[in-house]
Amino acid sequence: MNARIAVVAIGRNEGARLAACLSSISRSGARAVYVDSGSTDDSLAVARAAGARIVELNRDAPFTAARARNAGFESLRADGLPEFVQFVDGDCALEPGWLKAGMAALEADPSIGIVTGWRSETAPEATLYNAIAEWEWHRPAGDITACGGDMMLRAALFEQLGGFDGSIICSEDEELCLRVRGLGLRVHRLPRAMTRHDIAMTRLGQWWRRSVRAGHGFAEVGDRHPGHFTAERRRVRIWGMALPAAALAAIPAWGIWPPLTALALYGMSWARTARALRRDGYHPRRAAGIAGLLVLSKLPNAQGMITYRLRRLRGREMRLIEYK
């Protein structure tokens, strides 16, 4: 077993996906910690069978990915903190060789604070929702502003930062990256495969709630780090709030024409996005579907941003928005 690195996996009701995740960690030779957020399936039995250290979060506080990752890191102290820690979601499997490559990158360049790689979907063609997730993961290598929850960093740096902000329900990974960059360190994506993700999304309602959660993250992290998510929030305010609100408000004076004009503008945005996806090599039908979801996503994103604002105004606790 490689004592220099440990992997913290988090999950809730991941079942077979968790089995694949923990199996990939076992093959890597790293220590494994699994943090469970109130699963009602056989996830705990799967983790026990895999021989992972298990941390079960209590229900005294809302479940969040940040809270789970922090708890997993803390559990590593029992056997001594490793030099490096890799975080993964329970529906992700490590790619062979990734841990060695990530550690080598951090050792070779002290200016790198966080290293990540490419995530890909296990079945991108199974559903349109899987396909748009694959599109989301397709990002350039090199120095980046932020990355998702699959990341590696030095344990000492994680301690210095105080871990993830456990109160953030979405985009806590990006928020951590911003604090790392605030220390003058880099967030770097290596041009190699890191994890295989199984989003297993089959229904519009699942995708909608995932998009609501993303909008909540745009607003919450944007508030904490002014200037971040600026473009995303601007697009949501225009396409998800101002345009539909203006079209509906103008109906008494102008009848059906304002909604038709709004639909035409949405159609133009869809066509432009679909053309760009076709230029990137997507099949025309797949490009049309992904473009449709990207245009539509501004509405659930707006719902998420408004939900965050209302929760804050009312002084209510931020609670996880689950989509599976």
Side-chain angles (χ1 to χ4, degrees), residues 9 11 13 16 34 52 54 56 81 127 151 156 169-170 216 228 236 248 253:
N13 296 329
Y34 169 63
I54 298 173
E56 295 183 61
L81 287 178
T127 70
M151 61 171 69
I169 70 162
C170 180
H216 197 290
H228 192 60
V236 173
L248 292 174

Side-chain angles (χ1 to χ4, degrees), residues 11 31-32 52 63 68 87 114 148 203 210 219 294:
R31 276 194 281 164
F63 295 133
F87 293 98
I114 290 176
R203 300 190 303 275
R210 183 171 184 264
L294 288 172

Side-chain angles (χ1 to χ4, degrees), residues 7-10 22 31-35 52-55 71-72 75-76:
V7 181
V8 174
I10 63 171
L22 296 177
R31 276 194 281 164
V33 174
Y34 169 63
V35 185
R53 178 187 294 274
I54 298 173
V55 178
S75 77
L76 293 172

Side-chain angles (χ1 to χ4, degrees), residues 8-247:
V8 174
I10 63 171
R12 176 180 168 90
N13 296 329
E14 295 296 353
R17 293 184 293 273
L18 178 61
C21 172
L22 296 177
S23 177
S24 72
I25 298 172
S26 177
R27 290 193 299 272
S28 75
R31 276 194 281 164
V33 174
Y34 169 63
V35 185
D36 189 82
S37 296
S39 289
T40 56
D41 67 355
D42 63 347
S43 290
L44 289 172
V46 167
R48 291 189 191 98
R53 178 187 294 274
I54 298 173
V55 178
E56 295 183 61
L57 294 184
N58 62 47
R59 300 175 185 271
D60 294 343
F63 295 133
T64 67
R67 181 186 167 212
R69 293 188 182 112
N70 289 342
F73 181 85
E74 286 303 311
S75 77
L76 293 172
R77 296 185 189 278
D79 297 319
L81 287 178
E83 186 176 354
F84 305 102
V85 59
Q86 169 78 40
F87 293 98
V88 297
D89 293 342
D91 56 1
C92 291
L94 289 172
E95 291 280 12
W98 163 253
L99 294 184
K100 183 180 293 185
M103 287 191 293
L106 289 172
E107 288 180 308
D109 192 340
S111 72
I112 298 178
I114 290 176
V115 67
T116 188
W118 281 320
R119 175 190 266 195
S120 61
E121 284 298 317
T122 59
E125 299 302 320
T127 70
L128 180 59
Y129 313 114
N130 288 17
I132 196 169
E134 176 75 8
W135 175 83
E136 290 174 7
W137 312 143
H138 186 67
R139 294 293 181 266
D143 286 347
I144 55 179
T145 301
C147 66
D150 295 352
M151 61 171 69
M152 184 189 297
L153 69 167
R154 299 172 185 87
L157 175 59
F158 191 79
E159 283 199 292
Q160 179 184 347
L161 292 164
F164 292 92
D165 187 329
S167 67
I168 298 177
I169 70 162
C170 180
S171 299
E172 74 293 329
D173 34 28
E174 297 225 4
E175 196 276 337
L176 182 75
C177 290
L178 294 174
R179 284 190 280 133
V180 166
R181 294 176 66 237
L183 296 175
L185 298 171
R186 296 151 54 210
V187 180
H188 188 79
R189 179 179 288 121
L190 297 179
R192 64 169 295 147
M194 172 183 58
T195 52
R196 295 278 287 176
H197 181 249
D198 185 8
I199 198 168
M201 191 173 291
T202 59
R203 300 190 303 275
L204 178 64
Q206 294 173 317
W207 171 83
W208 186 278
R209 287 185 63 79
R210 183 171 184 264
S211 300
V212 170
R213 193 177 73 165
H216 197 290
F218 294 162
E220 188 169 14
V221 175
D223 266 9
R224 293 169 186 252
H225 297 272
H228 192 60
F229 283 138
T230 300
E232 289 84 352
R233 285 179 289 158
R234 182 174 59 248
R235 285 193 291 267
V236 173
R237 289 181 181 126
I238 293 171
W239 294 96
M241 298 180 187
L243 182 56

